[in-house]
Amino acid sequence: MGFAVLGGVFSEGVDLRGNRLNGVAVIGIGLAPRNFERELIKSYFSNRGRNGYDYAYVFPGMNKVLQAGGRLIRSEHDYGVIQLIDDRFLSRKYVNLLPEEWKDYKIIN
């Protein structure tokens, strides 16, 4: 069993092919912490009629989630299970940001 932080070296930069990794659990939606730079991005897009919060926080956070899931499937021969552990992953906003391959999911209570 291995543990990694979203956005860290292990969750983004390691290539574990074959059966070296057969499951990934992502806990949380990976929202970036609030800071001055993110607030500038939010303001920029909001002033242009877009959802600045999504551009500053949601999209970068989901990119980290997708990168962590990408550790699991590195070739057409790899397979495994990705667990998304956060009720927010069930909302339309986040479901729409998932790859088609991830949308055939099962909810476990």
Side-chain angles (χ1 to χ4, degrees):
M1 180 181 299
F3 295 93
V5 175
L6 286 177
V9 174
F10 185 77
S11 63
E12 293 184 4
V14 175
D15 192 9
L16 300 171
R17 291 183 182 262
N19 64 357
R20 294 177 63 199
L21 182 66
N22 56 23
V24 171
V26 178
I27 302 170
I29 55 176
L31 291 179
R34 292 189 96 109
N35 62 32
F36 181 71
E37 180 183 356
R38 295 265 164 228
E39 289 300 311
L40 284 176
I41 294 168
K42 177 182 170 186
S43 182
Y44 174 85
F45 284 102
S46 293
N47 289 337
R48 282 153 183 77
R50 303 228 173 131
N51 186 332
Y53 181 80
D54 285 353
Y55 282 90
Y57 296 100
V58 174
F59 298 155
M62 284 301 290
N63 189 53
K64 290 179 182 182
V65 169
L66 299 176
Q67 287 174 324
R71 298 304 102 214
L72 182 60
I73 307 298
R74 303 302 293 167
S75 77
E76 63 274 5
H77 304 292
D78 293 341
Y79 63 92
V81 175
I82 299 172
Q83 296 177 334
L84 302 176
I85 304 173
D86 192 316
D87 288 344
R88 292 174 286 186
F89 285 119
L90 296 173
S91 72
R92 179 178 302 267
K93 172 186 252 181
Y94 293 99
V95 168
N96 288 339
L97 296 173
L98 295 174
E100 284 299 317
E101 296 83 10
W102 293 20
K103 292 183 182 178
D104 183 25
Y105 57 85
K106 180 169 134 181
I107 299 172
I108 300 173
N109 292 324

